[in-house]
Amino acid sequence: MQLPLLYVLLHFFAGNVAADYSPSAETKKVEPTKEAGATNVILQSKDGGQTWQDISHGLPEIGERMGFFADASDVYLSTDGELYHSKSHLKTPVWEKENLPVLKSTSIVFNQSGVMAYSNDGHIYRKKPSSGPGSRDWLPIYTDLITHSVATIFEASDGSVFMGTGKSLSKSTDKARTWKPVQKGWVDNLVESEGVLLATGQQGIMRSTDNGDNWEWVISEGGVGIAVERVDGGFAAIVYNTRTQARSIHTSFDGGKTWQAIDEGLQPSKNISSVKQLGGYLFVGHTDGIFRSPDMGKTWHRVHAGFGNPLYASLKFALWTPAAPVEKVFRLYVSGNVLYAVAVSPGC
């Protein structure tokens, strides 16, 4: 009796997956040249996700740990303690090595005072404004900081500096000379819009309307907050839901007070990596590929295939079988009018 049931489920879900993931007429789906490996490490799209170019061949030698970071005009790549930089308007990135002291697990943040590089052991640098061709010097900042667990650094519009250490979030109003704890627990990924601060944390997404002195949880589904982003008119966020054992995607258009789920058209997944806006579209990095929405999440169309198996992802919820290992998932970044998709390990 088990075999006929399995056959029916296979037939049913295979049909549903094909229907769910049929691209719209306006979208051209480009399959990866290989499902994993040296190629398809980094893809870029300059036409709103309709077509994709594999730019992995121009990368420096990549070590076991790779970080990718992007702002309005620049992209950075860190690997094995080295940092590389390219302008994003180029046809393909031209990577130039940065003159930065070797840091352990270098991260980049784009704050109002400039580009910062930091490591989790408390070494922080700010990029000096260019003084001529090839000038890429970095100066140490916050040298009085005594910590060995820097998770994030964020500068608010009023000049306040926030630092997450993995155990708490602290605030400084005197350029990092003194710090005041404002929230317990791990906090990361802060954003700000029109006087509202949002951040990911151990219980989901938290919000502050008094310049970060006090915080309240506005999305809490039992798991941690994965990402929070500014979008036109509001915010988008990803959290882990312990009831469904999957990540969920939400938007808010009232300053983060109330939130709406926007992932009903996507297969449930533990490995939704990111949500980004480019132009009039929302994009999501998902186990089953890269998805695009023209209506803020009401409908989704896949614009690039993923590394996983969407049929198996559907079946596991019907049969309650363990999830198959997924080798990679695309994490998304926006720089100007360019969308980047970087293959990372699930859960990163």
Side-chain angles (χ1 to χ4, degrees), residues 74 81 99-100 126 134 154 161 185 213 220 237 248 331:
D74 299 89
N99 182 23
L100 176 71
R126 180 183 288 122
F154 178 80
V161 180
D213 289 328
S220 187
S248 57
R331 179 175 290 167

Side-chain angles (χ1 to χ4, degrees), residues 124 141-146 159-163 170-180:
I124 306 171
I141 59 172
Y142 306 162
T143 54
D144 294 331
L145 192 64
I146 303 176
S160 300
V161 180
F162 292 87
M163 181 179 64
S170 297
K171 174 183 176 181
S172 175
T173 57
D174 56 7
K175 299 183 179 179
R177 287 188 290 271
T178 61
W179 296 86
K180 177 183 73 172

Side-chain angles (χ1 to χ4, degrees), residues 8 13-14 33 57 72-73 84 106 121 126 215 282 301 338 347:
V8 171
F13 281 105
T33 55
H57 61 276
S73 60
Y84 299 86
T106 305
D121 57 2
R126 180 183 288 122
W215 297 82
L282 277 186
H301 305 285
V338 183

Side-chain angles (χ1 to χ4, degrees), residues 227 238 249 272-276 283-286 330-333:
I238 303 173
I249 313 171
I272 298 174
S273 67
S274 45
V275 54
K276 297 286 184 179
F283 292 86
V284 164
H286 187 280
F330 283 117
R331 179 175 290 167
L332 306 179
Y333 302 84

